[in-house]
Amino acid sequence: MKLRGPVSSALICAAVACTGYDRQSVLDPASPHAASTRQLFYFMIAVSVVVYVVVVGMLLLVIRNRRVAVDDLQSPAREEKAGRIIRLALAVVVPVLFVFLLYDFAVARGVGEMPDSSMLTIEVTGHQWWWEAAYDDPVPHNIFRTANEIHIPVGRPVRIKLASHDVIHSFWVPNLSGKKDLIPGHKDELVIQADRPGIYRGQCAEFCGLEHAKMSFWVVAEPVQDFSRWVERQRQPAPEPTDSITAAGRAVFETGSCATCHTIASTRAAATVGPNLTHIASRLTIAAGALPNNRGNLAGWIVDPQTIKPGAKMPPNSLAPRELQALLAYLETLK
Ligand code: CUA
């Protein structure tokens, strides 16, 4: 469970409490799908190593016997021998490639299987450059939205419905499943499952513009009771301000430019251009995994997002210090 992974994860990890973060790796599977993908990888590597050793061995043999006269090479006996070797090589190579192909198909089929239509369903939409997640429910009132962080219950398959708002993105949580593209105008699905609790990093795996590299997210897999508690909290509207500072902060949010892009449930802010911020204080990171979620980073992000993530849709905000502090105090209450 200790993080030894990519630099960005390490930086995030250095700033938030590090325990519980999983190394982002296809070789550290936490689900049946990811485990079968790793098995396929090891199988292909093993066969490739054998092929490599045989080829290099043959090459060395040829180098050792290279002093064969050209006349000798063209003799019928030599040609006959060369033909036999080529036929033998084909007889070995073609079945090996077929085994690779069939095994690959079998794994892909397993990864793409939809075991149960009644399972938890999350609609994930890719935006330049963040992830929107809507938790489906037969009761419309229970549907809620979050951004860049997906919570799932441990040990249960979860259906992820994929869509794109703009360009092609790709949903990939290496520890949990294979990757799948989000194609504009085309709906697709993927099943993820985590067999052990953990915080798994996911990222966009298809180049989608300037900030493709800063389009990551977290999958938080937790025991069913914890997950249910999280869902209940997310369904609640934002808490009311309890003092004059947080009340002023909410006013800054509602009357300033924040409300032209973001939603905070139960306030006048109801725009859907940017992430839903109803429970922003409960999230691990901000700006699609670009920064740990703390007051300093939030302040920097609000005032000057273009330095942190050049090209992002969020414009700079010139707020008076009092307004900024009130806004930060209010956002910190949105647990
Ligand atoms: Cu979205 Cu790359």
Side-chain angles (χ1 to χ4, degrees):
M1 297 281 277
K2 285 278 154 50
L3 187 129
R4 286 157 279 154
V7 177
S8 54
S9 291
L11 289 175
I12 295 288
C13 183
V16 295
C18 194
T19 49
Y21 282 71
D22 284 71
R23 176 168 62 121
Q24 181 190 328
S25 170
V26 282
L27 302 181
D28 185 17
S31 81
H33 289 166
S36 63
T37 309
R38 179 178 69 168
Q39 215 171 0
L40 173 67
F41 171 79
Y42 282 146
F43 174 76
M44 287 189 165
I45 285 287
V47 174
S48 303
V49 166
V50 171
V51 169
Y52 180 77
V53 168
V54 169
V55 169
V56 170
M58 296 291 221
L59 193 66
L60 291 175
L61 212 65
V62 170
I63 291 171
R64 221 185 68 177
N65 301 329
R66 69 186 181 283
R67 290 177 204 282
V68 180
V70 175
D71 293 352
D72 195 22
L73 272 178
Q74 286 166 341
S75 73
R78 276 268 168 187
E79 276 187 9
E80 170 62 24
K81 193 178 173 189
R84 273 206 310 276
I85 291 173
I86 289 170
R87 281 194 294 277
L88 178 71
L90 280 174
V92 174
V93 168
V94 172
V96 166
L97 289 179
F98 259 102
V99 169
F100 272 9
L101 188 72
L102 293 178
Y103 192 4
D104 184 70
F105 278 165
V107 169
R109 200 190 165 98
V111 167
E113 247 167 31
M114 292 285 153
D116 175 12
S117 62
S118 65
M119 63 184 149
L120 171 66
T121 301
I122 306 168
E123 288 183 23
V124 171
T125 306
H127 297 255
Q128 282 177 314
W129 291 274
W130 60 281
W131 302 87
E132 180 180 4
Y135 282 67
D136 268 0
D137 197 284
V139 183
H141 179 73
N142 285 337
I143 295 173
F144 65 89
R145 282 168 203 284
T146 181
N148 306 319
E149 192 171 308
I150 297 169
H151 286 235
I152 61 170
V154 165
R156 293 196 184 166
V158 177
R159 181 194 302 262
I160 305 285
K161 286 188 175 177
L162 300 165
S164 170
H165 179 257
D166 33 50
V167 299
I168 300 177
H169 303 275
S170 188
F171 181 93
W172 190 35
V173 193
N175 302 69
L176 302 184
S177 192
K179 63 179 84 155
K180 196 142 224 180
D181 284 359
L182 290 72
I183 298 164
H186 174 79
K187 303 261 181 203
D188 216 333
E189 294 186 341
L190 176 78
V191 170
I192 61 170
Q193 178 177 332
D195 286 339
R196 55 169 201 261
I199 301 173
Y200 305 99
R201 189 173 183 273
Q203 67 179 71
C204 182
E206 179 74 38
F207 181 71
C208 55
L210 199 56
E211 294 303 338
H212 156 71
K214 287 183 182 168
M215 186 173 169
S216 62
F217 59 99
W218 299 98
V219 175
V220 180
E222 49 200 358
V224 177
Q225 301 90 325
D226 293 352
F227 172 72
S228 303
R229 269 198 294 277
W230 178 82
V231 167
E232 272 317 306
R233 242 186 3 260
Q234 297 293 314
R235 281 180 182 154
Q236 303 300 317
E240 287 293 310
T242 51
D243 56 48
S244 58
I245 294 177
T246 49
R250 185 169 79 172
V252 169
F253 195 96
E254 286 180 320
T255 56
S257 55
C258 311
T260 57
C261 291
H262 297 283
T263 289
I264 293 179
S266 81
T267 71
R268 275 155 49 202
T272 55
V273 178
N276 184 311
L277 302 181
T278 306
H279 295 287
I280 185 184
S282 71
R283 293 178 200 155
L284 298 164
T285 55
I286 55 170
L291 292 170
N293 186 5
N294 59 45
R295 192 172 178 126
N297 286 337
L298 204 50
W301 176 248
I302 291 168
V303 172
D304 187 13
Q306 294 301 317
T307 297
I308 295 161
K309 213 164 155 175
K313 300 281 189 291
M314 180 146 151
N317 291 282
S318 53
L319 293 167
R322 277 171 80 100
E323 289 178 323
L324 178 63
Q325 292 306 327
L327 179 60
L328 292 168
Y330 173 60
L331 292 175
E332 282 180 335
T333 67
L334 304 180
K335 300 262 188 227

